[in-house]
Amino acid sequence: MAERDFIARLSAALATSPAARGFADDAAVWMPPLGRNLVFTHDVLAAGVHYLADDPPSDVAWKLLAVNLSDLAAMAATPAGVLLGLGLSAAEDDAWRDAFIAGLARALDHFGVELWGGDTVSGLAQAVLGLTAIGWVEPGRALGRKGAQPGDAVWVSGTIGDAGLGLAVAKGEAPFDKPLLNRFRRPTPRLALGAVLGGMATAGMDVSDGLLIDADRLAAASGVALCIDLAAVPLSRSAAGLDEVLARATAGDDYELLFTAPADADMAALAAPTKTLVTRIGTVAAGSGVMLSFAGQSVPLPARLGWEHG
């Protein structure tokens, strides 16, 4: 499929927003909501790194959109539109591209987001898929990694470690489990929760590389220590002991929200209208880094806190 034909198919299926201008111009034109701050993010998925070669193309499209929307959720932003950048190899044949377009259309519709444009290139050794997401937030309500204060409570949404378990399913290393497989292939950005955290949480970020490594990053940005009770970390499947809990907390690809809030704030009640589970897993203290405990005992940090890009 020639690039112009691929873009034409994308245009016919997805260029429905006035901002996209039918993909006929060199750039999109969007009128942002009056008086709002704009929020931008860009993430890349590489074949063989962020998804497996035999993952369904429709799921790859979903994940590409979802991981970027998760960044907006972490900033308490509402998504508006996205720009797509696809670097493709010979493995992404016409059937793959058609399935990708169909999957992207479903994901955009599900999350209420518009495709505004982008670019494609072919001939790479392996696919590298990029997406820029643009959103908005009311002034003063953007959430960031700085701001956690000693005495705050540490919270996390959803359950942790499911994507890591789902990766094992995808590789054939664990029994088939559709919900876990979906957690790896089709993550859910916590957009509704993120929107209500703005102005309420003191700091936050999404859990992309693993709960512990991302907690360490939040702690460093805020200049504090995060004390995490591993026994309190929410799991969808029971763990046999400390080692299994640590494996879940360092697995990555969860795309849940990790955030801090004043100790007396009822974040569970705040989150209830969004139908998102939130769990208090620790406290913020003076100091630096992450401090772990389990069953009332101090736990040394594992050598690997999570996924680190090379």
Side-chain angles (χ1 to χ4, degrees), residues 138-155:
E138 295 179 10
R141 291 181 63 87
L143 193 58
R145 300 181 185 185
K146 297 180 180 180
Q149 299 293 321
D152 284 351
V154 181
W155 295 78

Side-chain angles (χ1 to χ4, degrees), residues 54-145:
D54 58 353
D55 282 347
S58 58
D59 288 351
V60 176
W62 178 288
K63 188 170 187 176
L64 179 62
L65 178 62
V67 301
N68 279 277
L69 297 186
S70 183
D71 284 339
L72 293 186
M75 301 287 291
T78 298
V82 298
L83 301 171
L84 189 63
L86 302 180
L88 303 174
S89 72
E92 290 73 49
D93 58 13
D94 288 358
W96 191 98
R97 297 181 188 200
D98 284 343
F100 180 90
I101 292 171
L104 182 60
R106 288 192 293 271
L108 290 165
D109 181 68
H110 179 83
F111 294 115
V113 182
E114 299 170 343
L115 179 64
W116 290 345
D119 197 12
T120 66
V121 63
S122 300
L124 276 64
Q126 285 189 302
V128 179
L129 314 177
L131 187 138
T132 299
I134 301 97
W136 56 268
V137 65
E138 295 179 10
R141 291 181 63 87
L143 193 58
R145 300 181 185 185

